[in-house]
Amino acid sequence: MTTVKDMLRTYPGDKGALDGDLLARCIEECDRCARTCTACADACLAEDRVEELAACIRLDLDCADVCDITGRLVARYTPDGADLTRAQVEACALACAACAAECERHAAEHEHCRLCAEACRACEQACNDLLAAGL
Amino acid sequence: MTTVKDMLRTYPGDKGALDGDLLARCIEECDRCARTCTACADACLAEDRVEELAACIRLDLDCADVCDITGRLVARYTPDGADLTRAQVEACALACAACAAECERHAAEHEHCRLCAEACRACEQACNDLLAAGL
Amino acid sequence: MTTVKDMLRTYPGDKGALDGDLLARCIEECDRCARTCTACADACLAEDRVEELAACIRLDLDCADVCDITGRLVARYTPDGADLTRAQVEACALACAACAAECERHAAEHEHCRLCAEACRACEQACNDLLAAGL
Amino acid sequence: MTTVKDMLRTYPGDKGALDGDLLARCIEECDRCARTCTACADACLAEDRVEELAACIRLDLDCADVCDITGRLVARYTPDGADLTRAQVEACALACAACAAECERHAAEHEHCRLCAEACRACEQACNDLLAAGL
């Protein structure tokens, strides 16, 4: 089964000195987080007391959208466009942190929020690791 | 690590009689195919004879967009909205088949096209399996 | 201010015999509908009795996603890829019809639903006009 | 015809003290820029010497993706989530500036690049105006 890392290796141009494993992990965590947030928003909408989850749904939607697009930009990363990639990865780390914090408030009651908070924290970490590596 | 299947299991509402494993596999293959097509388009753009790959890039972009959104709709699937989900999954199977056919023409020369064709065929199959199961 | 039609006119390749005005209108209505559905979902989430609007929010999200991507595919339309474009435009007409029907149920009570139903019906019509023109 | 401003006015919650006209203009320019970039990338792919436009196509794709999602986040803006909205609008201004600069290099030769550069500059301005207004 093809992985993101396999695909990045086939790139014929120059991806610069950034660690390919960190790039691949950031893309993978963005994908996982986007899908988890989409599912969490939908599960929240099916809960009995959805009015208590309105903020959570809104953050899930923001985080899903931001992660989707951040994964695309990181997949197209080249050193030439590093400023934009960096700004987008920073926005993504913020989105993940905000969504995680809200989901953590509901984690004891809703398993989908607990799993979503975990995916958000993992993606936040992958974004921050890429930034720390000099993106 | 949280999987799509874990998330679908936490849904508090009614997903109907469709096999949850088929739903989860369709979402996962849509995600993988979307990311692979994005990376393939970008790798094609970095090839020396990009003019020979223009049709491939266009299909990669269409397929990435369609898979992204199909994954979202399948993640939000409920029996009430089955008509729309089915139409979107049918469009996705078409997108994957078209992109796979074009990538296969370049598979011997470009590894990214070979891997992308594989991901497209796997996603086409997952879509068709879901349709055959009565989506 | 540049319009979609201005952009389509600059395309150096062959868009085939389809009426450019119908293509442009479909893209514009997809854009308008996508944004209106996004705003309607968000307004629904801020209503007091959000639990009555859960189905509406879900359809808003589906419709926004489908319109976004349909606009992209129609913008990249060429006769070669007409099968996929057609399938996607058909799915879009379904998404718009479903979202409009649900929003119309809340139109008397919620102005955002009334406006959203209008945008969905206009986009449904633009999609159907394009299909009727032989897409 | 419903406008973004009409929709924002129907929001039942609190959008804070930010100028609604600036929010609406930012959303509208993001939508226009996203669609223009998608069409420009596609027109570039149909040009004879596409290899000279590879960087332009890549920036068009990044800019279309970033504008799409920024428009969504701004449409869902509330004061509570201002930090994330601000980071995303900053990334969007960067994406527009980078894409405009590249398109301007090809504006004399390609009308689609000239129109795209204009749309990018207008969106960059709308983003910066929103930031300057205290987003």
Side-chain angles (χ1 to χ4, degrees):
Chain A
M1 203 158 59
T2 304
T3 63
V4 170
K5 218 158 115 183
D6 294 331
M7 280 307 288
L8 292 184
R9 270 201 211 104
T10 68
Y11 188 73
D14 179 17
K15 288 274 180 193
L18 264 186
D19 182 340
D21 285 4
L22 290 180
L23 282 171
R25 189 159 66 83
C26 184
I27 297 167
E28 285 169 347
E29 294 295 352
C30 280
D31 287 353
R32 188 185 338 274
C33 190
R35 195 57 70 212
T36 307
C37 286
T38 297
C40 184
D42 197 51
C44 286
L45 276 171
E47 293 289 352
D48 287 337
R49 288 176 298 170
V50 58
E51 72 279 5
E52 297 173 8
L53 296 165
C56 189
I57 295 168
R58 188 172 286 118
L59 282 162
D60 278 336
L61 298 177
D62 280 355
C63 195
D65 285 341
V66 170
C67 285
D68 248 349
I69 248 50
T70 304
R72 285 184 172 214
L73 262 71
V74 175
R76 286 195 289 259
Y77 168 78
T78 59
D80 282 352
D83 285 352
L84 171 55
T85 314
R86 191 183 311 116
Q88 188 58 50
V89 171
E90 286 170 351
C92 192
L94 268 181
C96 291
C99 191
E102 180 65 26
C103 277
E104 284 159 2
R105 293 183 52 227
H106 309 284
E109 194 169 2
H110 299 303
E111 179 70 359
H112 47 83
C113 288
R114 192 183 68 75
L115 294 174
C116 191
E118 278 184 12
C120 289
R121 290 296 180 201
C123 190
E124 181 191 10
Q125 188 65 51
C127 289
N128 284 330
D129 287 350
L130 197 53
L131 293 166
L135 170 66
Chain B
M1 202 158 60
T2 304
T3 64
V4 169
K5 218 160 115 182
D6 295 330
M7 280 307 287
L8 292 184
R9 270 200 212 105
T10 67
Y11 187 74
D14 179 18
K15 288 275 181 194
L18 264 186
D19 182 341
D21 286 3
L22 289 180
L23 282 171
R25 188 159 66 82
C26 184
I27 297 168
E28 284 168 348
E29 294 296 351
C30 280
D31 287 353
R32 188 186 337 275
C33 191
R35 195 58 71 214
T36 307
C37 286
T38 297
C40 184
D42 197 52
C44 286
L45 276 171
E47 294 288 353
D48 286 338
R49 288 176 298 171
V50 57
E51 72 279 5
E52 297 173 8
L53 295 165
C56 190
I57 295 168
R58 187 173 287 118
L59 283 163
D60 278 336
L61 298 178
D62 280 355
C63 195
D65 285 341
V66 170
C67 285
D68 248 349
I69 247 51
T70 304
R72 285 183 172 215
L73 263 71
V74 176
R76 286 195 288 259
Y77 168 78
T78 60
D80 282 351
D83 285 353
L84 171 55
T85 315
R86 190 184 311 116
Q88 187 58 51
V89 170
E90 286 170 351
C92 192
L94 269 181
C96 291
C99 191
E102 180 64 27
C103 277
E104 283 159 2
R105 294 183 52 228
H106 308 285
E109 194 170 0
H110 300 302
E111 179 71 358
H112 47 83
C113 288
R114 191 183 68 75
L115 294 174
C116 190
E118 279 185 12
C120 290
R121 289 297 180 200
C123 189
E124 181 192 10
Q125 188 64 51
C127 289
N128 284 330
D129 287 349
L130 197 53
L131 293 166
L135 169 66
Chain C
M1 203 158 60
T2 304
T3 63
V4 169
K5 218 160 114 182
D6 295 331
M7 280 306 288
L8 292 183
R9 270 201 212 104
T10 68
Y11 187 74
D14 179 17
K15 288 274 180 193
L18 264 186
D19 183 339
D21 285 4
L22 289 180
L23 282 171
R25 189 159 65 82
C26 185
I27 298 167
E28 284 168 348
E29 294 295 351
C30 281
D31 286 354
R32 188 186 338 274
C33 191
R35 195 59 69 212
T36 307
C37 286
T38 297
C40 184
D42 197 51
C44 286
L45 277 171
E47 293 289 352
D48 286 338
R49 287 175 300 171
V50 57
E51 72 280 4
E52 297 173 8
L53 296 164
C56 190
I57 294 169
R58 188 172 286 117
L59 282 162
D60 278 335
L61 298 178
D62 280 356
C63 195
D65 285 340
V66 170
C67 285
D68 247 348
I69 247 50
T70 304
R72 287 184 170 213
L73 262 71
V74 176
R76 286 196 287 260
Y77 168 78
T78 59
D80 283 352
D83 286 351
L84 170 56
T85 314
R86 191 184 310 116
Q88 187 59 50
V89 170
E90 287 170 349
C92 192
L94 269 182
C96 291
C99 191
E102 180 65 27
C103 277
E104 283 159 3
R105 294 183 52 228
H106 308 285
E109 194 170 0
H110 299 303
E111 179 70 0
H112 47 83
C113 288
R114 192 184 67 76
L115 295 174
C116 190
E118 278 185 13
C120 289
R121 290 295 180 201
C123 190
E124 180 192 10
Q125 189 64 53
C127 289
N128 284 330
D129 288 350
L130 197 53
L131 293 166
L135 170 65
Chain D
M1 203 159 59
T2 304
T3 62
V4 169
K5 218 160 114 183
D6 295 331
M7 280 307 286
L8 292 184
R9 270 201 212 105
T10 68
Y11 187 73
D14 179 18
K15 287 275 180 193
L18 263 186
D19 182 340
D21 285 3
L22 290 180
L23 282 171
R25 189 159 66 82
C26 184
I27 297 167
E28 283 168 349
E29 294 295 350
C30 281
D31 286 354
R32 188 186 338 274
C33 191
R35 195 59 69 214
T36 308
C37 286
T38 297
C40 184
D42 197 51
C44 285
L45 276 171
E47 293 288 352
D48 287 338
R49 287 175 300 171
V50 57
E51 72 280 4
E52 297 173 8
L53 295 165
C56 190
I57 295 168
R58 188 173 286 119
L59 282 162
D60 278 336
L61 298 177
D62 280 355
C63 195
D65 285 341
V66 170
C67 285
D68 248 349
I69 247 51
T70 304
R72 287 183 170 214
L73 263 71
V74 176
R76 285 195 290 258
Y77 168 78
T78 59
D80 283 353
D83 286 352
L84 171 56
T85 315
R86 190 183 311 117
Q88 187 58 51
V89 170
E90 286 171 350
C92 191
L94 268 181
C96 291
C99 191
E102 180 65 26
C103 276
E104 284 160 2
R105 295 183 51 227
H106 309 284
E109 194 170 1
H110 301 302
E111 179 69 0
H112 47 82
C113 288
R114 192 183 67 75
L115 295 174
C116 191
E118 278 184 12
C120 290
R121 291 296 180 201
C123 190
E124 180 192 10
Q125 188 64 52
C127 289
N128 284 330
D129 288 350
L130 197 53
L131 293 166
L135 170 65

